[in-house]
Amino acid sequence: MTLQIGIDVGGTFTDFVVARDGAEPAIFKSLSTPSDPSIAVVNGLTDIAASMDPPLSVEAFARTIDTIVHGTTVTTNATLTHTGAKCGLLTTQGVRDALEMRRGVREAQYDNRYTNVRPLVPRYLRVGVGGRVDRVGAQTAPLDLDAVRAAIDLFRAEGVQAVSICFMNSFANPAHERAAAELVRRELPGAYLSVSTDLLPSIRFYERVSTTALNSYVGPKLNHYLDQLVSRLKGIGFGGLLLIMQSNGGVISPQLAREKAALTLLSGPAGGPGAGLFYLRPHGVDKCITTDMGGTSFEASVAVGAPMIKNDGEIARHKLALPMLDIHTIGAGGGSIGWIDEGGLLRMGPQSAGADPGPACYGKGGELPTTTDANVVLGYLDPGYFAGGRMKLDAAAARAAIERHIARPMGLSVEQAAAGMYRVACNNMAQGVREVTIKRGFDPREFPIIPAGGAGPIHSCLICSELEIPLQIVPRESSVLCAFGMLMSELKHDFVRTFVARLDAIDWARLGAVIDAMTAEGAAQLDEERIPAARRSEEIKFDCRYIRQYHEVSFVVPRALVDARDVEGIARAFHAEHNRLYGYSLEAEKTPVEIINVRVQAVGATEKPSYRTEAWGGTDASEALKGRRSVYLPETNAFAEVPVYDGHRMRFGNRVEGPAMIEQATTAIFVSAGYDCAIDELGSFAIYLKGRADLCRVPDRA
């Protein structure tokens, strides 16, 4: 029987999903160890081994694991906390300040206190060297190798750990970058090296240099972490396949992750959207909003048939121009700290209490009030059943922190202050959902929402009420949704080449050669990963725009359209996507369209565990009733006694009327007064607006 484990390292907890063919996935959590996240990985595996029947040593258990799929926040955290490597940059003479000047656009135009983001490479380590190629790749000045050697001497003297190489127009001819790279490898063999044409051979210099610098900035830290992880896993006897999650929703080998560390930036929540689509299958829906509320952050994303991809993004205001899932992140999690601003308004986050010391109710020395503390005061969390009873919460400490820092300064009762904290946190998260729906041309009311994270389902009803979303699906594995989604991810390799041409004047032979070259690169990568031909696929995308337009639109182009040289078919696909994104197209005006980039994604299907459906259990959920307790109801702004159900004992077909609480060892679900709940065939909790049972496909009888 295949045994696979998904592991997602978070700010507060490290999540584990243990999956066997035909069996219900098992969920485990371990407190994260920020100083060395691999310790929490081994701690979690040790706990899983001890829970087996009969209990096993971690070594005996590790030998039975076929695959570990691992998502890491190491590179993300290094960027956010400015703890990456000391870097040097080799670039074309005269443009070394592009990394700091960026595109010359002030992001907060009317904020007179707004300052530029600190560059990842200090100015004295950004060295311009002579040599130039033009936009079509012709050399106009030879590379000054003596200047490259002088720069290497400077880097050596300054103790540089990583070097980036990014020259103007190198996407058209990488010869200068390759020559410089050869020198760096020979003269600085211990330095981590990033070459822009290996990472991102496409047009737009700032995006390319920023992405290359990011890769160097986080590369040494990721290498160190993977060394620790691989060593610890080997030490406990793991000999299976280790895969690393990347930001495009796919997985890669540890070796490729080492070489292209930037692929793991923002990869932590990348497993969520795919898992969300999986849990919607029983309801006949192929689109959803996935949210993930962790200890520090809240992520929101949209999937329509497949997770939405974007070709550029930002992390800590640094441009990252690699394909990634369109996930919006804000500082709103269970550890988000409540505070009062200079105008006397209540705020939540983005500061977080993290895992250590954590919220006040953890009893680990935290004294500041957090979202989790508010949830304890409001009755959403049972202090005696947190983490299934393995971790007792200190309700008195939660009340004291809220009373001291929020209630007393605002002249409120502790309960009123906690309710305010809860509402502000939910409002922040609803705004995060708006970013990936309304601002992307989607109506959130047309999408079911999949709330994930340990505390996500506590807040989802209020978020849905604010956004008028009538249906939410809470998987049994919602607290570890991203780890679960990792087990369903494919091997994915993205390639891009700049190809500037009007659609009506394409050199089809050259276009075909460019696509074939990228396809061959993908095939070579999948060959190394031993993926058989039957489990391979590829997807072609064009980045196109109207003539004189600044931004491109990326859309899928079937290979058949390219082979048929179907200009009209490709143009129609572009117009349709432009219209969806921006509400208009210039098709009727016959405005010329030009290609900027061509992209190929090579996909290798991985072995995935199979999952069983549940047997019909009837509509009556009374056998799962645990008791009643007082909780805060947002609809009435008052507390009321509501039934509390054991989520582990609820079965397919069971129905619950809101308001109610449903508890699992790693998740608490609040069904507010405006919603009801039914259990679907995968065991998920389908929460729907009262009177709209038709939205979920849960029958009334077997």
Side-chain angles (χ1 to χ4, degrees):
M1 181 181 289
T2 301
L3 174 61
Q4 297 178 311
I5 298 182
I7 304 175
D8 180 26
V9 176
T12 305
F13 289 100
T14 296
D15 298 338
F16 299 80
V17 172
V18 181
R20 291 184 176 86
D21 286 335
E24 182 178 344
I27 299 171
F28 296 87
K29 283 179 174 281
S30 175
L31 278 173
S32 293
T33 50
S35 61
D36 181 357
S38 66
I39 295 174
V41 171
V42 174
N43 289 346
L45 293 175
T46 303
D47 292 343
I48 296 169
S51 73
M52 305 295 286
D53 188 15
L56 298 174
S57 68
V58 68
E59 292 81 6
F61 176 64
R63 287 192 293 270
T64 70
I65 303 171
D66 297 284
T67 305
I68 290 177
V69 185
H70 181 44
T72 175
T73 57
V74 167
T75 53
T76 301
N77 291 342
T79 308
L80 296 177
T81 58
H82 305 289
T83 55
K86 185 174 184 178
C87 298
L89 171 65
L90 278 172
T91 190
T92 302
Q93 193 172 44
V95 297
R96 68 170 179 166
D97 289 323
L99 194 63
E100 190 158 5
M101 294 169 65
R102 303 191 288 170
R103 288 212 162 270
V105 177
R106 185 184 178 91
E107 293 129 311
Q109 190 172 0
Y110 301 107
D111 184 352
N112 61 6
R113 293 181 295 179
Y114 190 82
T115 57
N116 197 6
V117 64
R118 187 175 70 190
L120 297 176
V121 184
R123 193 171 193 269
Y124 79 100
L125 293 177
R126 303 196 300 262
V127 181
V129 299
R132 194 70 176 262
V133 296
D134 64 18
R135 64 185 181 87
V136 296
Q139 178 176 286
T140 59
L143 179 65
D144 186 347
L145 292 176
D146 289 337
V148 174
R149 291 187 184 95
I152 292 172
D153 291 340
L154 170 66
F155 295 159
R156 185 187 297 110
E158 291 294 330
V160 164
Q161 301 165 289
V163 177
S164 299
I165 301 176
C166 184
F167 294 147
M168 289 285 289
N169 296 321
S170 59
F171 66 88
N173 181 353
H176 285 186
E177 287 195 353
R178 289 174 180 170
E182 184 180 346
L183 267 179
V184 172
R185 290 190 184 99
R186 187 165 63 243
E187 302 290 336
L188 280 179
Y192 184 92
L193 179 61
S194 301
V195 182
S196 81
T197 44
D198 292 339
L199 187 68
L200 184 68
S202 65
I203 200 168
R204 294 214 167 99
F205 182 72
Y206 167 63
E207 282 76 2
R208 189 154 43 87
V209 72
S210 177
T211 302
T212 308
L214 271 167
N215 195 72
S216 290
Y217 189 70
V218 300
K221 199 141 193 172
L222 181 65
N223 269 351
H224 177 66
Y225 172 64
L226 289 177
D227 285 342
Q228 291 177 312
L229 178 66
V230 170
S231 175
R232 290 186 190 279
L233 290 176
K234 185 179 180 180
I236 62 173
F238 172 69
L241 177 65
L242 174 64
L243 295 172
I244 307 300
M245 197 72 189
Q246 54 179 327
S247 54
N248 67 359
V251 291
I252 51 176
S253 66
Q255 182 55 40
L256 188 57
R258 291 175 187 274
E259 296 169 4
K260 299 182 177 181
L263 294 176
T264 68
L265 283 162
L266 302 173
S267 69
L277 289 172
F278 171 83
Y279 284 110
L280 280 171
R281 290 176 187 172
H283 305 279
V285 182
D286 69 346
K287 61 181 182 180
C288 64
I289 301 165
T290 304
T291 64
D292 187 0
M293 180 183 176
T296 304
S297 62
F298 172 85
E299 285 89 22
S301 61
V302 167
V304 181
M308 303 294 289
I309 297 284
K310 61 181 179 180
N311 293 321
D312 63 357
E314 287 188 354
I315 176 168
R317 295 170 58 198
H318 300 288
K319 181 66 75 174
L320 180 64
L322 295 171
M324 64 184 71
L325 297 192
D326 190 359
I327 298 174
H328 183 72
T329 302
I330 61 173
S336 292
I337 296 169
W339 55 287
I340 300 171
D341 68 14
E342 57 191 15
L345 298 177
L346 174 61
R347 301 293 186 92
M348 296 298 295
Q351 307 94 328
S352 174
D356 188 11
C361 61
Y362 279 15
K364 296 171 62 179
E367 297 180 350
L368 299 176
T370 67
T371 304
T372 299
D373 295 310
N375 289 339
V376 170
V377 170
L378 298 176
Y380 300 139
L381 291 174
D382 180 351
Y385 190 64
F386 191 73
R390 291 186 296 128
M391 182 176 175
K392 306 296 182 182
L393 298 182
D394 187 340
R399 294 183 65 89
I402 294 174
E403 197 277 333
R404 178 181 177 184
H405 295 280
I406 306 295
R408 191 189 307 162
M410 298 190 75
L412 302 172
S413 69
V414 171
E415 289 77 12
Q416 288 173 326
M421 293 169 67
Y422 175 75
R423 287 184 177 276
V424 171
C426 289
N427 182 268
N428 290 344
M429 289 183 276
Q431 185 58 38
V433 174
R434 288 188 179 97
E435 290 288 333
V436 296
T437 53
I438 295 170
K439 290 193 175 183
R440 303 288 195 276
F442 297 113
D443 185 342
R445 296 171 296 184
E446 299 175 356
F447 289 73
I449 194 167
I450 314 291
I458 290 176
H459 301 81
S460 58
C461 279
L462 191 56
I463 295 170
C464 288
S465 295
E466 183 164 334
L467 298 174
E468 300 180 34
I469 296 173
L471 176 65
Q472 49 190 301
I473 307 295
V474 182
R476 287 194 190 275
E477 297 79 25
S478 69
S479 66
V480 293
L481 188 74
C482 290
F484 179 87
M486 290 172 189
L487 296 179
M488 303 167 64
S489 299
E490 315 283 18
L491 287 157
K492 293 182 179 180
H493 305 290
D494 289 297
F495 305 92
V496 59
R497 297 289 185 275
T498 291
F499 185 94
V500 180
R502 282 176 50 146
L503 272 183
D504 56 8
I506 292 177
D507 181 341
W508 291 100
R510 190 167 71 89
L511 176 61
V514 168
I515 293 173
D516 289 342
M518 288 189 285
T519 301
E521 287 186 63
Q525 201 75 60
L526 295 176
D527 284 342
E528 289 184 16
E529 293 157 342
R530 300 178 183 178
I531 302 298
R535 286 167 41 199
R536 299 184 185 188
S537 62
E538 64 185 44
E539 183 178 77
I540 301 169
K541 285 187 173 182
F542 287 178
D543 295 350
C544 290
R545 65 187 183 187
Y546 294 115
I547 293 291
R548 292 184 295 278
Q549 197 173 25
Y550 182 73
H551 293 290
E552 302 89 47
V553 169
S554 188
F555 60 101
V556 175
V557 178
R559 183 63 190 255
L561 291 182
V562 177
D563 292 341
R565 303 187 175 187
D566 187 349
V567 174
E568 292 185 1
I570 296 171
R572 279 196 300 270
F574 166 71
H575 294 312
E577 181 65 6
H578 194 283
N579 186 66
R580 187 194 69 77
L581 285 171
Y582 303 115
Y584 77 96
S585 75
L586 301 179
E587 183 175 10
E589 290 81 356
K590 301 187 183 302
T591 301
V593 175
E594 65 178 349
I595 304 175
I596 300 299
N597 294 313
V598 179
R599 301 177 184 273
V600 170
Q601 183 178 78
V603 179
T606 57
E607 295 286 349
K608 302 176 185 63
S610 60
Y611 298 101
R612 66 177 178 84
T613 56
E614 292 201 352
W616 174 255
T619 59
D620 185 8
S622 59
E623 289 189 6
L625 185 64
K626 296 173 64 174
R628 301 178 69 87
R629 75 166 177 263
S630 178
V631 303
Y632 173 74
L633 303 183
E635 290 88 348
T636 59
N637 198 30
F639 283 77
E641 293 282 325
V642 305
V644 180
Y645 294 88
D646 183 346
H648 298 291
R649 295 168 59 191
M650 299 183 75
R651 295 293 175 261
F652 175 33
N654 286 183
R655 293 183 181 271
V656 168
E657 292 186 3
M661 290 297 306
I662 301 172
E663 293 181 334
Q664 295 190 117
T666 58
T667 311
I669 302 168
F670 174 48
V671 184
S672 73
Y675 291 83
D676 292 330
C677 176
I679 311 302
D680 70 20
E681 64 181 6
L682 292 178
S684 302
F685 304 89
I687 303 172
Y688 54 89
L689 201 62
K690 283 188 181 295
R692 294 301 311 276
D694 59 296
L695 293 170
C696 62
R697 295 184 180 179
V698 179
D700 291 327
R701 59 183 63 85

